[in-house]
Amino acid sequence: MELDKMEENDWRYHGEGNKSLVVSHVQLSKVLRLLKYPVEDSENPPQTAEQAYRQIQNIVDFSSNVMSSLLGDKFTHSGEVVRLPLEFVRQLSIKVQHQRPAWRCDKVMDIYSGCALCLPNLTSPALHLPTHTPPLCIEIKPKCGFLPSCKHVSRDIKTKVCRFCMHQHYKVTNGKWKRRSLYCPLDLFSGNRQRMQYAIRQLVVEPQNNFKIFKGGQCIYSSKEESEDSLDLNSLLHLLRPYFQRGNNRINSHMTNKAVLNDLIQVLVNTLLNVGGGGGVMVTDRRGDGRSFCEASLFNKERIRHGSQGLPSDSVLSRILQTQMLDTLDIEGLYPLYCRVERHLQEYPKERSHLQIDGPYDEAFLEKVQKCPADDDGSVEYAVAKVHQYRVAMTAKDCSIMVTLVPTNEEEEDDEGLSTQRRFRDLVFSRPPAFSCSVSILDLDPKPFESIPLQLRLDQKIVSYYLKSGGALPKGSLTPLPGIFGGTERDECTLLFHPV
């Protein structure tokens, strides 16, 4: 990619979050992440080009030096900062504007700094096995997978109903979403196959901004609020059918949408548990008795059959959960420590750099996070370490998992590859289809120190509303499940795990 010969027509709109917009190259497996500003700042950017460069470099450093150590470097892609021609950036902004969701247009793309983060395009991998079928990529934003301890919360409901489920009521009532999602993160992080299957079904039926499917690099399924061009569920399953017909020797036979859905769910569960990829030790649930179930989840506890509980220690979900659990105090328990740090900084403003409030995100920062004392000695150093732990945990609570699936053809495998594939299938799978699989974690930006008071106020609003409403939702906000969401099929799919 020659930075001095950039053409806006070589790039297309890919998606966006709260703070950045992403474009992907039409041929190369590359994406650019560009910063966004509020519309009112569009004429006068809130920071200089050098400040923008430093902000993006902080993202790279935080991902490579901190989150990669905690989550595992096999899952993370830190990228690099690039400086782009300003005319290219301006033309690109004009080109993608009409493709953006209307509800995202309260912010504009940064056209002044010329700085961006360059990353691999995980929805369209550059290196994969030869196939006539484009790769699939599924993006899951799992959110927080545990309940806080009763020691640090003022409302008992927070130890019974998870933050995501309470937040759903708040978002639906305030018009952010038209319908409530029945997904509960505690089901996905449980390690129990039935609960995980149920959780993924709910993500499929009401994806909101927590579930997307890409085919050949193009987003084909997300919430209608996110993209008006998104397929409906039945059209999606029809489009996915060839991926599962081929692998299941059903080329000339009919495969129902329900069977396609069940196969897709099985592939995702197997991938998230890292089945067939060398496994890892099953870790026991460190969340305590009763803290691994959310009372708002509609999954029936009595439906759980005897089976494995907990997550494999080296699975992507386990690594994310353990990092989330660095938040040992909840926002309520953390806020007094934040105030201790804030008072210290008001008295000694030059200490901000020494305490690494805004970075640098290096080995010293990671050491503060990993070696925080268990007991509060009243020091500023202790308070800073707990604040840093909380910020890291918040990043893990807001990350995205990208599962890339490339169909493989058993007949084209060499003898060694075929025997390995069959060995994996004989051990843990009942039949094909076969996919070459990679798993990555994205959206690993550092959360700003100044956001902690905002987090406390939002937490109070969410809990207060949930208690006032009694957990009731506006009429019509529950999505009726289509007929394809019946009982779970127990057939499974073969996955081949290759290093990224």
Side-chain angles (χ1 to χ4, degrees):
M1 189 171 71
E2 299 181 57
L3 296 179
D4 59 340
K5 297 179 180 178
M6 303 287 282
E7 291 285 343
E8 70 273 8
N9 291 327
D10 291 337
W11 299 84
R12 62 188 175 205
Y13 178 82
H14 191 78
E16 60 189 291
N18 185 42
K19 295 183 179 179
S20 59
L21 182 147
V22 181
V23 294
S24 58
H25 198 278
V26 294
Q27 291 181 318
L28 304 176
S29 183
K30 296 284 185 183
V31 297
L32 294 173
R33 247 185 79 182
L34 299 108
L35 298 176
K36 297 197 308 187
Y37 299 135
V39 169
E40 53 268 26
D41 295 329
S42 59
E43 297 297 326
N44 298 296
Q47 58 184 359
T48 66
E50 284 307 310
Q51 288 172 328
Y53 184 93
R54 185 67 251 171
Q55 180 182 345
I56 299 174
Q57 187 61 54
N58 269 345
I59 294 172
V60 174
D61 294 342
F62 189 75
S63 175
S64 61
N65 297 329
V66 180
M67 299 308 295
S68 178
S69 297
L70 297 169
L71 297 172
D73 54 11
K74 67 179 179 180
F75 294 126
T76 57
H77 305 268
S78 300
E80 63 175 334
V81 191
V82 293
R83 294 186 188 271
L84 305 168
L86 290 180
E87 183 58 26
F88 160 75
V89 176
R90 293 188 182 109
Q91 293 301 320
L92 183 64
S93 175
I94 294 170
K95 178 186 177 183
V96 303
Q97 184 60 33
H98 73 281
Q99 299 171 292
R100 300 176 63 198
W103 66 282
R104 290 288 193 187
C105 290
D106 59 332
K107 293 185 178 180
V108 295
M109 198 176 96
D110 169 25
I111 60 173
Y112 296 101
S113 73
C115 299
L117 176 59
C118 184
L119 291 157
N121 184 355
L122 300 172
T123 68
S124 183
L127 298 174
H128 56 78
L129 299 177
T131 175
H132 297 295
T133 310
L136 292 176
C137 184
I138 296 89
E139 177 180 351
I140 298 174
K141 192 174 277 289
K143 309 303 284 188
C144 182
F146 71 100
L147 296 171
S149 165
C150 59
K151 297 177 184 177
H152 307 292
V153 299
S154 59
R155 304 289 184 96
D156 187 52
I157 192 67
K158 290 175 69 174
T159 66
K160 298 176 181 177
V161 177
C162 78
R163 165 67 175 260
F164 181 88
C165 290
M166 283 196 280
H167 206 176
Q168 280 293 303
H169 288 69
Y170 186 76
K171 287 180 175 179
V172 169
T173 303
N174 285 279
K176 173 65 184 293
W177 302 112
K178 294 178 182 178
R179 294 172 298 278
R180 173 195 169 192
S181 168
L182 298 182
Y183 165 71
C184 177
L186 271 66
D187 290 330
L188 186 68
F189 281 99
S190 68
N192 177 277
R193 282 184 168 275
Q194 288 176 277
R195 290 178 68 186
M196 293 178 72
Q197 290 163 3
Y198 179 82
I200 293 173
R201 285 174 189 273
Q202 305 314 318
L203 286 172
V204 173
V205 76
E206 193 59 56
Q208 296 187 354
N209 62 344
N210 301 302
F211 187 84
K212 295 178 182 178
I213 297 180
F214 298 82
K215 178 185 177 184
Q218 296 264 29
C219 184
I220 60 170
Y221 188 70
S222 63
S223 70
K224 288 293 184 182
E225 288 91 341
E226 191 82 16
S227 171
E228 294 180 358
D229 297 329
S230 177
L231 297 171
D232 61 57
L233 182 55
N234 282 313
S235 298
L236 169 73
L237 297 175
H238 178 77
L239 193 66
L240 295 183
R241 187 173 296 145
Y243 288 86
F244 299 96
Q245 278 182 318
R246 178 179 296 106
N248 288 290
N249 298 317
R250 296 166 170 168
I251 296 294
N252 298 316
S253 62
H254 178 66
M255 187 178 185
T256 65
N257 279 355
K258 178 181 176 182
V260 173
L261 177 65
N262 284 329
D263 276 2
L264 173 65
I265 291 172
Q266 289 294 343
V267 166
L268 291 175
V269 170
N270 289 344
T271 308
L272 295 174
L273 290 175
N274 199 15
V275 174
V281 178
M282 301 300 290
V283 294
T284 54
D285 193 338
R286 296 200 303 127
R287 292 167 285 179
D289 293 338
R291 291 177 60 201
S292 59
F293 270 101
C294 169
E295 291 186 1
S297 171
L298 297 186
F299 183 88
N300 187 346
K301 297 180 186 180
E302 296 178 2
R303 286 170 52 195
I304 297 180
R305 294 185 289 270
H306 293 293
S308 60
Q309 284 284 101
L311 295 164
S313 58
D314 62 348
S315 68
V316 65
L317 288 177
S318 178
R319 299 300 289 265
I320 291 173
L321 181 60
Q322 298 309 312
T323 306
Q324 291 179 353
M325 293 177 72
L326 287 171
D327 173 17
T328 58
L329 303 177
D330 187 70
I331 184 63
E332 292 186 67
L334 181 88
Y335 186 69
L337 297 178
Y338 163 83
C339 292
R340 184 189 301 176
V341 178
E342 186 64 27
R343 287 192 299 269
H344 181 80
L345 292 177
Q346 288 175 357
E347 190 172 354
Y348 307 102
K350 293 183 180 180
E351 283 281 286
R352 190 178 184 96
S353 175
H354 169 69
L355 296 174
Q356 296 182 272
I357 301 299
D358 308 302
Y361 300 112
D362 52 16
E363 289 81 1
F365 183 93
L366 178 62
E367 188 173 350
K368 285 184 173 74
V369 170
Q370 293 179 319
K371 296 185 177 180
C372 178
D375 299 317
D376 185 359
D377 57 4
S379 67
V380 172
E381 287 73 20
Y382 172 83
V384 167
K386 295 307 290 186
V387 167
H388 288 342
Q389 282 189 337
Y390 175 81
R391 292 169 62 198
V392 168
M394 288 300 294
T395 295
K397 292 177 186 181
D398 205 33
C399 71
S400 296
I401 300 172
M402 303 291 279
V403 177
T404 305
L405 303 171
V406 181
T408 62
N409 189 332
E410 286 187 294
E411 283 73 18
E412 294 177 1
E413 294 280 348
D414 57 29
D415 293 340
E416 183 180 354
L418 184 59
S419 63
T420 302
Q421 181 173 316
R422 284 176 176 163
R423 184 162 64 252
F424 283 153
R425 190 174 72 242
D426 290 343
L427 284 171
V428 292
F429 302 108
S430 59
R431 57 172 174 78
F435 290 94
S436 174
C437 168
S438 67
V439 182
S440 304
I441 305 174
L442 294 184
D443 301 332
L444 299 178
D445 299 15
K447 301 299 181 183
F449 173 78
E450 288 76 16
S451 70
I452 291 175
L454 301 176
Q455 289 291 335
L456 179 65
R457 288 196 289 273
L458 178 60
D459 184 76
Q460 292 168 338
K461 286 180 182 177
I462 291 169
V463 175
S464 295
Y465 180 80
Y466 188 82
L467 290 173
K468 285 178 184 176
S469 67
L473 283 160
K475 191 174 182 181
S477 61
L478 274 177
T479 306
L481 294 181
I484 57 172
F485 283 81
T488 303
E489 289 189 0
R490 300 176 67 181
D491 291 338
E492 296 179 346
C493 305
T494 303
L495 294 175
L496 293 177
F497 289 86
H498 296 276
V500 178

